[in-house]
Each structure stands twice: as structure tokens, then as C-alpha cells.
Amino acid sequence: MAYSDKVIDHYSNPKNVGTLDKSKNNVGTGLVGAPECGDVMRLQIEVDEESGVIKDAKFKTFGCGSAIASSSLATEWLKGKTVDQAIAIDNMDIVEELNLPPVKIHCSVLAEDAIKAAINDYRVKNGLPELELEEKKH
Amino acid sequence: MDPRVLEAMLPYFVEKFGNAASRNHSFGWVAEEAVDYAREQIAKLIGADPKEIILTSGATEADNLALKGVFEMYATKGNHIITATTEHKAVLDTCKHIEKMGGQVTYLEVQPDGLIDLKQLEAAITDKTILISIMYGNNEIGVIQPVKEISAIARKHGVLFFTDATQAVGKIPVDVQADGIDLMAFSAHKMYGPKGVGALYVRRKNPRVKVTAQMDGGGHERGMRSGTMNVPGIVGFGKACEIAMNEMEAEGKRLSILRDKLENALMELEEAYVNGNIQHRLPHVCNISFKYVEGEGLMMGFNKNIAVSSGSACTSASLEPSYVLKALGLGDDLAHSSLRFGLGRYTTEAEIDFTIDAIKTTVLKLREMSPLWEMFKEGIDLNTIEWAHH
């Protein structure tokens, strides 16, 4: 099966690969997936505490090209959004943007899970209640 | 396919179009002669008599014919078959089918290097055992089973021995007499012949083996496999066998040198592991796990130029890691991180150098991107992390 040009582009030139200091109060970290399942994503956001805007986002992903592309795209979308806006990112937006085939939809779900896990980590660190998350099928 | 094979096949599509089973006109005779000659070429490669070669549509059909055919033919003697968990799906799925038909199948676990345990094999034999089915060389890891020892055990207990030798025939010397093989499946396309042609070797003497036909009809192939013969394909199969016979020794050496060069270079990477026994191995196969990098992601780094696979071709449509690697005891994580390399007649040293470079670069790049690699480098034990399984 051929990968879409956008997947290939993110895979070849991934955006925002890296690590943020997870001990900082304004950094939220989401680690989702499992090595046995063949994909693990770690997504981090750094929030400007005054404005609530995500000023930086980084990822590292163990997985196929679509998983790498999904997390790379997610970091691009996160930057500049407020935390509240970021919650609204839906996996199907990622599927559409990257033109993912049905067998790769779980990569987008994982990216959405990683975003929400990072936001929750940030919220908990800052004394906010955790968001209730709906379970999506992988 | 080898161009020499195509050349041999071409006349049999248009000019010599006869049906090999039409014995009352010269067109049929020409085709029949061509098939007879090919059958000799095929038999010669494996040390068999031409009468022992049953031509089929490929190794999958030959596997089906051997297993189901023996199961039916020897039903009065017993219903038990012994095989192994690392067999090809064409054997495993056929065994599953046989279980539904009332057969009993023992699936032997393999040792961590992929070899079966001969003591376990012998212990699994019961008075109901009619067949041992163990492949010659594995398609994913290249491990060569101790075929002579297996056949000796089979003989000792009066059990037939069938081997799927699709990966081995044409690559290493396979001799049905010396190896004590009763039935053997193999295929043309694995030795640069056409796709869609294969054969089942069925021993005629000491003991005389019979299989019940699984394809009924005109009684072709000594009644064991009916159906109009694929004359051009069979001619190509014969030619491919002849070429393999002449070139195998030199080609095997050339391939193992290239394979070892590839493997040694890739093993210079940290946390790389060869899967399967490296002493008893086909010369053209190698399978390596690159820990903390996912195989499919890894392949994407170079699959424009290099064809490798993660898992086997038959399973790569699914997201499941290789069942063969799991049978060796690899965890899902290492199984997900594996690549299978297959070298061939047209693989050059320059291509190997290119491959080494491309894979090393991609592994290093993806590890920079891998959260697992980062954790490993920080000394975090990945087993202590509570992963969110999905």
C-alpha cells in the first residue's frame, strides 16, 4: 500500500521531534500505546501560563510511518492553540489531513489520545480536574 | 524470473500449443515430450525418479495434497499428524482444516534458535501417528531443520515424513534419498521459475507412498492431481531446476558471503539481534531485530529502493507481528522490530553496500525519534512502565 505524500513528508522531515523538561509545571506529557502493540507515542506541550497558549510541542514516536506522521502533525497543530482549543482536535481531522487508509486510523486515535493525555497531565499538575475522555476504538 | 527460463517457455504459448494429455496428435506429443523433459529436470535436482514428481499449481497446493492426501489415504492406520509452530501457513492452515475433519495435530514448539527438539518430536509419536510434517528451511528466518535426523526417527516408527522445501530446493543441495524424504513440496518461483507452478515429490519405493487426490477429474499425474497441465509453466519450472542445479554451489557461496557482509555490518548497530540459528541456515536469508525501532516504520525509510519485509509476505497485510518470531520466544516488541532480508540471483555487492548504508541511517534516525530508545538510554527498564494497551 502506498503512503500519501503528506505521510511521506512528515516521515522524512518530522516536525518538532524532541523532549521537553517534564519536571516543569507548565509542561504536560502524554505517553500512550505499548511496545508490544508496535506503537508508542510521547507528546509534550509547553503552555504559556498567562495566556493558556501552547507555545511549544514536541514528540517522539516508536511506530510506523503513519504513527510518526500523525504525531508530527499533532505537534504542528498544537502550537499556537490554547489548551481548550487543543482538546477539540479530533482523530478524524488527522485522518483527513494525512489521507490515512482504514488500517492506519488507529495511529490517528493514538495521536488524539496522546494530546489528551498531555493536556490532562498539564491540568493535574496545575490543580485542575482531569478531563473525562471518551474511549475511541483503536 | 530468470530470462533463460522465459526463453525456454516462450515457444510453448503460441507455436507449440498442444495439450500434454492429448495423446492422439502430434501437437499433444510435442507438449507431452516437453513436460516429460521438464519432469526429468525437476526430478534430477532433488535426486528423485521423474515418476515421483506430481506437478501442481505451486507449493501451497502441494502442501494441501500431501497433508490432506496422506490423512485420507492412511485413515485406517491413524489420524495423528506432527508438525511445528513455525511452519508456513500453507501447512498450518491445512492442519487446522484436518483437525476439523477429525484429525489430531501436534504442533511442536521450537527452540529459541528455531530448530525443533528431536527428543520432543520422537516423544510426540503415538500409534495413531501417520505423518511428520516439518519444513526444510524456514521462509522468515532461514533456519534449516535436521531433516536427516527427522526422517530417521520417522522411519524408525513407521511414520511418513513430509517436508515443505519451498525455500530450500534450488538454494542448497536437497536429495530425497540421502535425506530420507517421503513427500516434499516445492515451487518454481522460488528458484527464478514462473509463478503458479510447483510440485509434490511422492516416494515410489521403500516405502511406496500414496496420497488421495484432492483435485478430481481426468486422472492426470498418476491419478493424484487432475487438471490440464500448465505446459509453458512446467517447461519453465524444468529450466529453472536445471539452472539451479548447475549454479547452486557457486551461487550459494556468493550469497552467503553477501549475506554475512550485510549481517555483520548491521550487527555493528547497538541493540541489534539476529533471529534464528546462524549455523543451520539458508545462504540467502537473514532476519534481524533492531530494538526500539518499529519494523514498518523502518522499512518506509528505504522501501523505494530496497524490498525487505517485516513479518512474512503472507502476514504483512495485518498488523500482527510475525508468528514465527513469536514462536522463537521473542516478545511482541522485538518481533515488531524485525526485518527479513532475502538475497537473490540478481543481488549485487553494490546493492548490499547501499542497503547497509540505508538501513543504518534509518535505524539511527528513527531511534532519535523513538521514546523507547530515549528511555533505554536513560536506563529506564521498559518492563516497569505501565503501558496503555490498546
Side-chain angles (χ1 to χ4, degrees), chain A residues 3-4 7-14 17-19 22 31-42 59-66 68 103-104 106 110 113 138, chain B residues 290-304 317 319 321 332-333 336-337 362 365-372 374-375 378 380 382 385 387-390:
Chain A
Y3 292 96
S4 73
V7 169
I8 293 169
D9 187 46
H10 276 285
Y11 174 86
S12 311
N13 307 292
V17 174
T19 308
K22 65 172 180 232
L31 179 68
V32 297
E36 303 90 88
C37 304
D39 32 32
V40 175
M41 274 182 204
R42 191 193 62 198
F59 85 93
K60 281 201 175 186
T61 289
F62 162 85
C64 65
S66 303
I68 289 168
V103 291
K104 294 298 179 186
H106 74 280
L110 206 60
D113 286 352
H138 285 269
Chain B
F290 302 96
K291 218 173 169 185
Y292 313 116
V293 176
E294 197 272 337
E296 208 181 324
L298 185 51
M299 280 197 294
M300 195 175 157
F302 40 78
N303 62 3
K304 264 193 195 153
L319 302 169
D332 278 352
D333 50 345
H336 271 298
S337 300
T362 312
K365 180 184 162 190
L366 291 185
R367 279 182 173 168
E368 277 314 302
M369 239 191 268
S370 164
L372 305 179
E374 186 183 303
M375 291 176 199
E378 285 172 0
I380 298 169
L382 296 180
I385 294 175
W387 299 105
H389 289 88
H390 52 276

Side-chain angles (χ1 to χ4, degrees), chain B residues 350-375:
Chain B
E351 285 169 344
I352 292 291
D353 292 336
F354 178 82
T355 305
I356 291 169
D357 228 41
I359 289 175
K360 278 188 159 178
T361 310
T362 312
V363 167
L364 294 175
K365 180 184 162 190
L366 291 185
R367 279 182 173 168
E368 277 314 302
M369 239 191 268
S370 164
L372 305 179
W373 180 250
E374 186 183 303
M375 291 176 199

Side-chain angles (χ1 to χ4, degrees), chain B residues 82 106 172 184 196 379:
Chain B
I82 301 171
T106 299
I172 56 169
M184 180 169 82

Side-chain angles (χ1 to χ4, degrees), chain B residues 2 4 171 192 247-262 282-285 342-352:
Chain B
D2 193 307
R4 293 170 288 181
K171 298 286 177 17
Y192 308 94
E247 300 180 359
M248 187 192 314
E249 201 184 334
E251 181 64 0
K253 274 186 199 138
R254 189 185 78 89
L255 288 175
S256 61
I257 290 169
L258 288 181
R259 189 265 320 270
D260 291 347
K261 179 177 183 183
L262 173 70
L282 297 170
H284 64 293
V285 179
L343 284 64
R345 191 171 284 170
Y346 307 109
T347 308
T348 63
E349 179 150 19
E351 285 169 344
I352 292 291

